[in-house]
Amino acid sequence: MNKYMKRGFLLVIAGVALILLGYYLKDTELMKYGWAMIIGYLAFGAGVLYIIYSLIRKIDRSALLEERAEKEEEEERHNGRPDLP
C-alpha cells in the first residue's frame, strides 16, 4: 500500500466520522452542524480521489515495467543475431 492509498483511506475515514458527527449535531441541535458536514464531504471526496489516483499509478507502473521488459527482450534477441546487410 503506497502513500496515496494510505492518505485516501485516512481521509475517507475522517470524512465519514465528520459526516456522522454532523448528523449527530443536527439531531441534538447542540450547535451548528453544517461545517462538520461540509468538511466531512470534502475529506471523503478527496480520499476517494487519492484512492483512484493510487490505483491509476499502480496500473501505469505495471504497464511501464511490462513495456521495458519487452524492449529489453527485443534488444537481447537483436544483439544475438549478426547484422544482416
Side-chain angles (χ1 to χ4, degrees):
M1 187 182 306
N2 61 14
K3 66 181 179 180
Y4 296 108
M5 185 73 76
K6 289 178 187 175
R7 287 179 187 169
F9 281 132
L10 289 175
L11 282 172
V12 166
I13 292 169
V16 169
L18 285 170
I19 291 169
L20 291 175
L21 175 68
Y23 278 119
Y24 172 75
L25 292 175
K26 182 179 179 182
D27 289 341
T28 59
E29 298 178 7
L30 291 175
M31 53 189 285
K32 292 187 177 183
Y33 62 92
W35 288 107
M37 294 187 84
I38 290 171
I39 294 170
Y41 279 110
L42 290 176
F44 183 82
V48 169
L49 290 177
Y50 266 109
I51 291 171
I52 291 172
Y53 180 68
S54 169
L55 295 174
I56 290 172
R57 281 178 50 103
K58 186 180 290 187
I59 292 170
D60 188 43
R61 176 164 169 73
S62 64
L64 183 63
L65 291 175
E66 184 179 312
E67 182 181 325
R68 287 180 183 170
E70 288 176 2
K71 188 174 183 181
E72 185 175 307
E73 183 180 308
E74 180 72 26
E75 287 178 2
E76 286 178 4
R77 202 173 338 139
H78 179 69
N79 289 338
R81 295 182 183 171
D83 290 333
L84 298 174

